[in-house]
Amino acid sequence: MLIKSTTRHIRIFSAEVQDNELVPSADKLTLDVDPDNELNWNDEALQAVYKKFEELTAQYNGADLTDYNVRRIGSDLEHFVRSLLYDGKVSYNLQSRVRNYSLGLPRVSADINV
């Protein structure tokens, strides 16, 4: 059975990717970061999200893979992404087709037209 957590910028599935398809797994999680490209990412910020994901999943090592646990990890990661935005480590992609500003209004220079 596929368990998933979907937030604005984080999607987690209890599955493995095989031939570009999600195959349900009882012991593996797959992470999809910012699928709508709402944010501008650099490698350092993206690696920080993956590291945080590893830390959060390690806390549940040995526990049953439940809907609650996966959603908790997703929610904690969404808060982590918000902290990256507030710290200026990622920024809104103002060219994105999606402009939700779900993490708060963007900070832009006065000379930039939005």
Side-chain angles (χ1 to χ4, degrees), residues 87-99:
D87 291 344
K89 295 179 181 172
V90 297
S91 62
Y92 279 113
N93 178 4
L94 299 178
Q95 306 307 314
S96 173
R97 67 177 185 84
V98 178
R99 286 197 206 122

PDB file of all heavy atoms in Angstrom, residues 87-99:
ATOM      1  N   ASP A  87      15.834  32.410   6.051  1.00  0.00           N
ATOM      2  CA  ASP A  87      17.269  32.653   6.219  1.00  0.00           C
ATOM      3  C   ASP A  87      17.938  33.110   4.922  1.00  0.00           C
ATOM      4  O   ASP A  87      19.133  33.354   4.903  1.00  0.00           O
ATOM      5  CB  ASP A  87      17.965  31.387   6.727  1.00  0.00           C
ATOM      6  CG  ASP A  87      17.575  31.036   8.158  1.00  0.00           C
ATOM      7  OD1 ASP A  87      17.011  31.905   8.861  1.00  0.00           O
ATOM      8  OD2 ASP A  87      17.820  29.880   8.571  1.00  0.00           O
ATOM      9  N   GLY A  88      17.172  33.188   3.834  1.00  0.00           N
ATOM     10  CA  GLY A  88      17.706  33.640   2.567  1.00  0.00           C
ATOM     11  C   GLY A  88      18.508  32.582   1.815  1.00  0.00           C
ATOM     12  O   GLY A  88      19.216  32.894   0.866  1.00  0.00           O
ATOM     13  N   LYS A  89      18.397  31.319   2.223  1.00  0.00           N
ATOM     14  CA  LYS A  89      19.146  30.250   1.554  1.00  0.00           C
ATOM     15  C   LYS A  89      18.435  29.758   0.299  1.00  0.00           C
ATOM     16  O   LYS A  89      19.065  29.176  -0.580  1.00  0.00           O
ATOM     17  CB  LYS A  89      19.394  29.112   2.533  1.00  0.00           C
ATOM     18  CG  LYS A  89      20.303  29.563   3.667  1.00  0.00           C
ATOM     19  CD  LYS A  89      20.559  28.483   4.662  1.00  0.00           C
ATOM     20  CE  LYS A  89      21.457  29.052   5.757  1.00  0.00           C
ATOM     21  NZ  LYS A  89      21.607  28.145   6.859  1.00  0.00           N
ATOM     22  N   VAL A  90      17.131  29.976   0.211  1.00  0.00           N
ATOM     23  CA  VAL A  90      16.350  29.771  -1.010  1.00  0.00           C
ATOM     24  C   VAL A  90      15.497  31.014  -1.191  1.00  0.00           C
ATOM     25  O   VAL A  90      15.323  31.799  -0.258  1.00  0.00           O
ATOM     26  CB  VAL A  90      15.455  28.493  -0.964  1.00  0.00           C
ATOM     27  CG1 VAL A  90      16.295  27.245  -0.839  1.00  0.00           C
ATOM     28  CG2 VAL A  90      14.415  28.563   0.118  1.00  0.00           C
ATOM     29  N   SER A  91      14.979  31.192  -2.381  1.00  0.00           N
ATOM     30  CA  SER A  91      14.123  32.349  -2.646  1.00  0.00           C
ATOM     31  C   SER A  91      12.974  31.911  -3.532  1.00  0.00           C
ATOM     32  O   SER A  91      13.026  30.843  -4.156  1.00  0.00           O
ATOM     33  CB  SER A  91      14.923  33.470  -3.322  1.00  0.00           C
ATOM     34  OG  SER A  91      15.427  33.020  -4.569  1.00  0.00           O
ATOM     35  N   TYR A  92      11.936  32.736  -3.600  1.00  0.00           N
ATOM     36  CA  TYR A  92      10.821  32.431  -4.493  1.00  0.00           C
ATOM     37  C   TYR A  92      11.284  32.545  -5.941  1.00  0.00           C
ATOM     38  O   TYR A  92      12.032  33.454  -6.295  1.00  0.00           O
ATOM     39  CB  TYR A  92       9.654  33.394  -4.273  1.00  0.00           C
ATOM     40  CG  TYR A  92       8.783  33.028  -3.101  1.00  0.00           C
ATOM     41  CD1 TYR A  92       8.741  33.830  -1.981  1.00  0.00           C
ATOM     42  CD2 TYR A  92       7.990  31.885  -3.125  1.00  0.00           C
ATOM     43  CE1 TYR A  92       7.943  33.506  -0.904  1.00  0.00           C
ATOM     44  CE2 TYR A  92       7.183  31.550  -2.049  1.00  0.00           C
ATOM     45  CZ  TYR A  92       7.167  32.367  -0.943  1.00  0.00           C
ATOM     46  OH  TYR A  92       6.370  32.032   0.118  1.00  0.00           O
ATOM     47  N   ASN A  93      10.825  31.660  -6.755  1.00  0.00           N
ATOM     48  CA  ASN A  93      11.052  31.716  -8.196  1.00  0.00           C
ATOM     49  C   ASN A  93       9.940  32.582  -8.783  1.00  0.00           C
ATOM     50  O   ASN A  93       8.833  32.110  -9.009  1.00  0.00           O
ATOM     51  CB  ASN A  93      11.027  30.306  -8.789  1.00  0.00           C
ATOM     52  CG  ASN A  93      11.197  30.291 -10.279  1.00  0.00           C
ATOM     53  OD1 ASN A  93      11.403  31.325 -10.904  1.00  0.00           O
ATOM     54  ND2 ASN A  93      11.106  29.106 -10.858  1.00  0.00           N
ATOM     55  N   LEU A  94      10.227  33.839  -9.022  1.00  0.00           N
ATOM     56  CA  LEU A  94       9.201  34.767  -9.492  1.00  0.00           C
ATOM     57  C   LEU A  94       8.810  34.502 -10.943  1.00  0.00           C
ATOM     58  O   LEU A  94       7.844  35.073 -11.433  1.00  0.00           O
ATOM     59  CB  LEU A  94       9.668  36.206  -9.303  1.00  0.00           C
ATOM     60  CG  LEU A  94       9.942  36.600  -7.844  1.00  0.00           C
ATOM     61  CD1 LEU A  94      10.448  38.030  -7.769  1.00  0.00           C
ATOM     62  CD2 LEU A  94       8.719  36.404  -6.975  1.00  0.00           C
ATOM     63  N   GLN A  95       9.546  33.622 -11.634  1.00  0.00           N
ATOM     64  CA  GLN A  95       9.202  33.237 -13.006  1.00  0.00           C
ATOM     65  C   GLN A  95       8.372  31.954 -13.039  1.00  0.00           C
ATOM     66  O   GLN A  95       7.974  31.502 -14.109  1.00  0.00           O
ATOM     67  CB  GLN A  95      10.476  33.030 -13.826  1.00  0.00           C
ATOM     68  CG  GLN A  95      11.420  34.214 -13.810  1.00  0.00           C
ATOM     69  CD  GLN A  95      10.758  35.522 -14.205  1.00  0.00           C
ATOM     70  OE1 GLN A  95      10.036  35.566 -15.186  1.00  0.00           O
ATOM     71  NE2 GLN A  95      10.983  36.567 -13.435  1.00  0.00           N
ATOM     72  N   SER A  96       8.106  31.374 -11.887  1.00  0.00           N
ATOM     73  CA  SER A  96       7.351  30.120 -11.814  1.00  0.00           C
ATOM     74  C   SER A  96       5.894  30.346 -12.228  1.00  0.00           C
ATOM     75  O   SER A  96       5.331  31.412 -12.014  1.00  0.00           O
ATOM     76  CB  SER A  96       7.396  29.583 -10.386  1.00  0.00           C
ATOM     77  OG  SER A  96       6.549  28.474 -10.234  1.00  0.00           O
ATOM     78  N   ARG A  97       5.297  29.309 -12.792  1.00  0.00           N
ATOM     79  CA  ARG A  97       3.882  29.409 -13.154  1.00  0.00           C
ATOM     80  C   ARG A  97       2.999  29.418 -11.912  1.00  0.00           C
ATOM     81  O   ARG A  97       1.856  29.826 -11.953  1.00  0.00           O
ATOM     82  CB  ARG A  97       3.481  28.265 -14.081  1.00  0.00           C
ATOM     83  CG  ARG A  97       3.523  26.909 -13.433  1.00  0.00           C
ATOM     84  CD  ARG A  97       3.036  25.801 -14.360  1.00  0.00           C
ATOM     85  NE  ARG A  97       2.985  24.554 -13.658  1.00  0.00           N
ATOM     86  CZ  ARG A  97       1.976  24.152 -12.895  1.00  0.00           C
ATOM     87  NH1 ARG A  97       0.922  24.905 -12.754  1.00  0.00           N
ATOM     88  NH2 ARG A  97       2.017  22.996 -12.279  1.00  0.00           N
ATOM     89  N   VAL A  98       3.560  28.975 -10.804  1.00  0.00           N
ATOM     90  CA  VAL A  98       2.829  28.928  -9.532  1.00  0.00           C
ATOM     91  C   VAL A  98       3.374  30.027  -8.636  1.00  0.00           C
ATOM     92  O   VAL A  98       4.549  30.058  -8.338  1.00  0.00           O
ATOM     93  CB  VAL A  98       3.038  27.557  -8.835  1.00  0.00           C
ATOM     94  CG1 VAL A  98       2.329  27.528  -7.505  1.00  0.00           C
ATOM     95  CG2 VAL A  98       2.571  26.433  -9.726  1.00  0.00           C
ATOM     96  N   ARG A  99       2.512  30.949  -8.239  1.00  0.00           N
ATOM     97  CA  ARG A  99       2.920  32.002  -7.304  1.00  0.00           C
ATOM     98  C   ARG A  99       1.961  32.012  -6.136  1.00  0.00           C
ATOM     99  O   ARG A  99       1.016  32.784  -6.107  1.00  0.00           O
ATOM    100  CB  ARG A  99       2.946  33.362  -7.989  1.00  0.00           C
ATOM    101  CG  ARG A  99       4.116  33.479  -8.900  1.00  0.00           C
ATOM    102  CD  ARG A  99       4.414  34.908  -9.273  1.00  0.00           C
ATOM    103  NE  ARG A  99       5.096  34.868 -10.551  1.00  0.00           N
ATOM    104  CZ  ARG A  99       4.673  35.477 -11.627  1.00  0.00           C
ATOM    105  NH1 ARG A  99       3.601  36.208 -11.593  1.00  0.00           N
ATOM    106  NH2 ARG A  99       5.349  35.372 -12.733  1.00  0.00           N
TER     107      ARG A  99
END
